[in-house]
Amino acid sequence: MNSIDKNKNTFSLTTPLYYVNDLPHIGSAYTTIAADVIARFERMRGKSVLLITGTDEHGQKIERTAAARGLEPQAHCDEIAAGFQTLWQQLDIQYDRFIRTTAPPHEAIVKEFFQRVWESGDIYLSQQKGWYCVSCEEFKEERELLEGRRCSLHPNKEVEWRDEQNYFFRLSKYQSQLEELYQTRPDFIGPPSRRNEVLSFVSQGLQDFSISRVNVDWGFPMPVDPSHTIYVWFDALLGYVTALLDPDTEPTLENALSKWWPINLHLIGKDILRFHAVYWPAMLMSAGLPIPDKVFGHGFLTKDGQKMSKSLGNIIDPVALINRYGSDAVRYYFMKEIEFGRDGDFNEKERFIPILNADLANDLGNLLNRTLSMARKYCGDKVPSISLEDIPADNPLKAIGSNLGEQVAQAYENLAFSNATEAVLTLIRSGNKYIDEQAPWKLYKQGNQQAVEQVLYAVLESVRLAAYLLSPIIPNISNDIYQQLGFDTNFNDKTQTNVSAAFIIHANWGILPNSQTLGEPRPVFGRLELPETGSA
C-alpha cells in the first residue's frame, strides 16, 4: 500500500515511545536529539512540522517494576514520564506532542483500530507455548537464546516458559505484501544495513505473533474478550496515531489521520526495528491504512569501547552530562562524532572534550571573537559596507559558502548529521586560515581600508552562515553568534525560524546586512576541562 498524498508542506516524525521501566538513558536522548535536529531543519525550510515523542507505559514489566518499588503502576509511570519530559526540556527538544499510552484518548484509538483488524479476519485465538522474555515483552525462539536460556538483549535475565491461550495477529498473511513494499519502496527502511536485516528476517518466513496476554492487568482489555489484555506492541505502536489528534478532538481514527498521516519518518534504535519495519506496516495493511514513508534504525552507543550496563557501572547519565557541559555540547558531540545509523562510542576524556574544544571553542568561537573585535575597531562597530560584487567569485570563503547551504540541506535530509557538521567546519577552518593569511591588522596599518572591509565581511558572513546551518544542532550557540552579529533571531522560537530565519534566504552566503550594528564580542563556548573526579 502506498502513501496517500498529503500536504507537501507538512512533515511529521516520531521518536520511539520510550518504555517507562526506568529513567531515560543516553540512548533515548540520542534518538530524540536527532529527531529534534530534523524537526528544526524542516521548520527552517518553512514546513509545518509535528515532532512526536512520548512513553509506552503498559505491560507486565511495568507491573513488576512498580510492584518492586512499592508503587501502583500509574504512579510509577507518572514519575518516569515526567523524567523524560524534564530531560527533553534540558536538551532543548522542541517536541510538539508527548503521547502517553495511559492517556484516555489512546484507548479509544486502540479499540477502533483493533476492530478494523478483527473485521479483516486477522485476529484469532490459539495456544502459545514458548520462552518469553519479560524485558522484551516478546516470545523468543530457541535459536535466539544464549546459553542458560538467557535473552541476547537482556543477558542477565532468564526467559520464562509460557503455555497459554493468546490472540494472534496473522502476520504470515502479509508476507508477500511486505516483500512487495520493501521492493517497490527501497527507501522505506534505512540505513541499507537495517534494510538487509529485515529482508533476511522476512525471507525466512513470517510467523503470526501474539497480541494478547492473560494474567496481566496493566493494559487495555481486549474488546472481544476482556479476560485478555492487549499486548504491549499492538497498543504501543498505535501511540503514533493517537499523538496526531489535536487537543480536545474526539479520539477517532478519522480525526487522528486527517492531517499528518502517513508519518514521514519513524526514528528508532535498531533493537526495535522488527516491530516498526515488519509488524507495524502489516498491522496498517490489515486496517486498510497507508504506510509511513520511512523507518530509520540508528546504532547503539558504547562508553569507552564497552557496552553500557548497570552491572558494569558505566551508564552515562544524560542529566549529569548536560549539567556539566550544557545541552549544545551534548547535542553537538553525538550528532557530529557518530555517523548516524552506525554504532558509536562516548569517551569523555579522549573524544568528547577535545572535539568540543577544537570545533566550538577554538575554530568557531575564536574566529567570531577575533573578527568581531577587529570589525568593531576598524569599521566603527558596524558590518563593513561591502557590495557582494566587490568580493570576487574565487574568494575562498565565497567559493565554499556559495553552495554550502545546498550541501548541508542534503546531508540533513539524508540524516547524515556528521557530514553536515564536517561541511560547515570546512568553511570555519578556511575562515581561520584566510584571516591569518590576509592579516587585516597589517592592511589597516597600510591604510588599505577597502581590503580590510572585504576580508572582515567575508569572515563575519562565513561565521553567520556556519551558525545558521548548525542551528538545528547547536541552537543556543547559534543564537549567541547571530546576536553578536546584530540580529534579533531566536532559533529556539519555533514560529520565528519559519519566517525571520527562512532557509531559502539565510542558507545563502552574502546576506549579512551592510552597516548593521555589531554586538559586544564574547566567547560563545568556553573551553571545557575534564572534571577532577568521576565522569558522566
Side-chain angles (χ1 to χ4, degrees):
M1 182 176 296
N2 292 320
S3 296
I4 53 173
D5 285 335
K6 70 173 179 178
N7 181 351
K8 293 294 178 196
N9 209 38
T10 62
F11 191 90
S12 53
L13 73 161
T14 73
T15 73
L17 302 187
Y18 299 109
Y19 209 44
V20 294
N21 59 307
D22 209 343
L23 284 167
H25 53 74
I26 199 68
S28 313
Y30 179 54
T31 323
T32 312
I33 292 166
D36 184 64
V37 170
I38 299 160
R40 285 172 179 268
F41 165 67
E42 293 293 351
R43 285 191 200 102
M44 281 165 38
R45 295 215 289 189
K47 292 194 180 179
S48 182
V49 174
L50 194 77
L51 170 54
I52 292 165
T53 187
T55 43
D56 168 11
E57 303 185 5
H58 287 139
Q60 190 169 42
K61 184 158 65 166
I62 302 303
E63 226 173 34
R64 289 184 180 181
T65 303
R69 297 183 65 212
L71 293 175
E72 289 297 318
Q74 189 65 62
H76 166 82
C77 293
D78 292 347
E79 182 187 321
I80 303 295
F84 278 92
Q85 289 176 299
T86 300
L87 178 59
W88 298 166
Q89 287 164 1
Q90 291 172 310
L91 278 169
D92 296 302
I93 306 294
Q94 294 184 330
Y95 62 83
D96 299 287
R97 302 277 165 82
F98 190 98
I99 177 64
R100 299 180 56 186
T101 57
T102 52
H106 185 57
E107 185 168 11
I109 293 294
V110 171
K111 282 181 173 175
E112 188 182 346
F113 186 91
F114 177 92
Q115 197 58 38
R116 282 198 185 200
V117 177
W118 179 261
E119 287 168 7
S120 297
D122 289 340
I123 294 171
Y124 64 93
L125 187 65
S126 185
Q127 196 73 14
Q128 174 84 312
K129 286 184 182 181
W131 296 106
Y132 186 72
C133 174
V134 174
S135 293
C136 290
E137 299 278 10
E138 186 186 13
F139 280 92
K140 300 286 181 179
E141 292 181 34
E142 191 89 42
R143 64 193 169 111
E144 295 180 273
L145 299 177
L146 303 175
E147 203 176 324
R149 294 215 171 86
R150 293 177 183 274
C151 169
S152 58
L153 292 173
H154 303 95
N156 57 337
K157 301 273 175 71
E158 280 188 40
V159 291
E160 301 175 6
W161 179 257
R162 297 284 171 89
D163 183 356
E164 60 188 35
Q165 278 203 323
N166 286 171
Y167 283 88
F168 284 75
F169 171 71
R170 293 187 198 277
L171 182 64
S172 57
K173 174 180 166 182
Y174 293 93
Q175 172 102 22
S176 59
Q177 281 175 257
L178 285 168
E179 287 173 336
E180 186 188 351
L181 168 70
Y182 308 143
Q183 189 177 349
T184 57
R185 288 172 48 188
D187 292 336
F188 172 65
I189 303 166
S193 57
R194 301 284 108 77
R195 181 174 185 269
N196 292 338
E197 282 175 40
V198 170
L199 293 178
S200 171
F201 172 73
V202 173
S203 70
Q204 294 171 41
L206 292 174
Q207 306 294 313
D208 297 348
F209 71 92
S210 164
I211 63 163
S212 80
R213 296 289 181 267
V214 290
N215 304 319
V216 176
D217 296 327
W218 189 238
F220 300 135
M222 187 158 279
V224 295
D225 186 348
S227 68
H228 284 249
T229 298
I230 294 178
Y231 163 54
V232 67
W233 280 103
F234 198 89
D235 161 2
L237 289 163
L238 286 162
Y240 299 135
V241 176
T242 307
L244 302 174
L245 286 164
D246 287 329
D248 306 320
T249 305
E250 189 188 351
T252 65
L253 281 176
E254 187 182 0
N255 287 339
L257 301 171
S258 60
K259 179 179 180 182
W260 298 99
W261 192 266
I263 298 287
N264 293 92
L265 175 66
H266 285 306
L267 270 189
I268 57 165
K270 63 181 181 180
D271 53 327
I272 52 174
L273 179 66
R274 194 182 300 177
F275 297 102
H276 287 78
V278 183
Y279 295 9
W280 183 221
M283 286 162 56
L284 292 165
M285 288 171 180
S286 176
L289 298 177
I291 308 301
D293 292 348
K294 190 176 187 75
V295 173
F296 190 97
H298 66 72
F300 287 158
L301 299 178
T302 54
K303 185 180 182 202
D304 306 330
Q306 279 189 307
K307 186 178 176 180
M308 284 182 264
S309 76
K310 284 184 178 176
S311 57
L312 288 173
N314 66 345
I315 297 287
I316 299 170
D317 176 1
V319 176
L321 205 59
I322 298 159
N323 289 342
R324 188 176 300 148
Y325 300 116
S327 71
D328 276 16
V330 176
R331 292 168 66 102
Y332 183 83
Y333 177 83
F334 285 109
M335 293 299 97
K336 193 256 179 181
E337 181 58 11
I338 298 165
E339 185 184 334
F340 199 65
R342 292 180 177 269
D343 293 348
D345 190 56
F346 174 86
N347 184 301
E348 192 170 9
K349 187 177 181 179
E350 293 172 22
R351 300 296 300 160
F352 183 82
I353 287 175
I355 282 167
L356 291 162
N357 283 339
D359 295 0
L360 301 184
N362 297 355
D363 289 347
L364 179 59
N366 191 39
L367 181 60
L368 171 68
N369 207 281
R370 66 199 288 226
T371 311
L372 200 56
S373 297
M374 283 188 270
R376 285 169 62 88
K377 185 176 176 183
Y378 304 148
C379 309
D381 292 349
K382 306 276 188 193
V383 173
S385 292
I386 286 293
S387 162
L388 268 189
E389 291 71 44
D390 294 341
I391 301 178
D394 64 354
N395 176 290
L397 304 187
K398 189 175 186 178
I400 295 169
S402 59
N403 70 345
L404 186 62
E406 200 176 305
Q407 195 182 341
V408 170
Q410 194 168 10
Y412 280 136
E413 276 180 22
N414 295 334
L415 312 184
F417 308 114
S418 52
N419 291 357
T421 53
E422 205 49 58
V424 174
L425 282 171
T426 302
L427 178 62
I428 290 300
R429 288 167 186 151
S430 300
N432 278 301
K433 184 177 177 216
Y434 178 72
I435 204 163
D436 288 341
E437 288 172 349
Q438 298 298 316
W441 51 92
K442 289 183 182 174
L443 296 171
Y444 183 74
K445 281 181 182 172
Q446 293 161 6
N448 194 343
Q449 185 66 18
Q450 176 74 4
V452 170
E453 294 192 0
Q454 275 191 29
V455 171
L456 294 180
Y457 183 90
V459 177
L460 288 173
E461 170 57 3
S462 297
V463 174
R464 180 210 62 80
L465 179 60
Y468 181 77
L469 295 175
L470 288 177
S471 68
I473 298 173
I474 47 170
N476 301 300
I477 292 172
S478 296
N479 275 343
D480 205 355
I481 292 172
Y482 254 60
Q483 283 156 18
Q484 290 185 51
L485 292 174
F487 294 94
D488 61 0
T489 306
N490 180 1
F491 293 108
N492 283 321
D493 182 339
K494 286 194 280 191
T495 55
Q496 201 188 58
T497 50
N498 234 332
V499 183
S500 68
F503 196 86
I504 197 166
I505 296 166
H506 282 245
N508 295 300
W509 194 91
I511 72 147
L512 188 58
N514 277 209
S515 302
Q516 179 162 287
T517 303
L518 294 165
E520 288 275 350
R522 61 184 181 272
V524 293
F525 189 84
R527 280 188 62 81
L528 303 179
E529 301 295 335
L530 190 68
E532 288 182 21
T533 55
S535 64

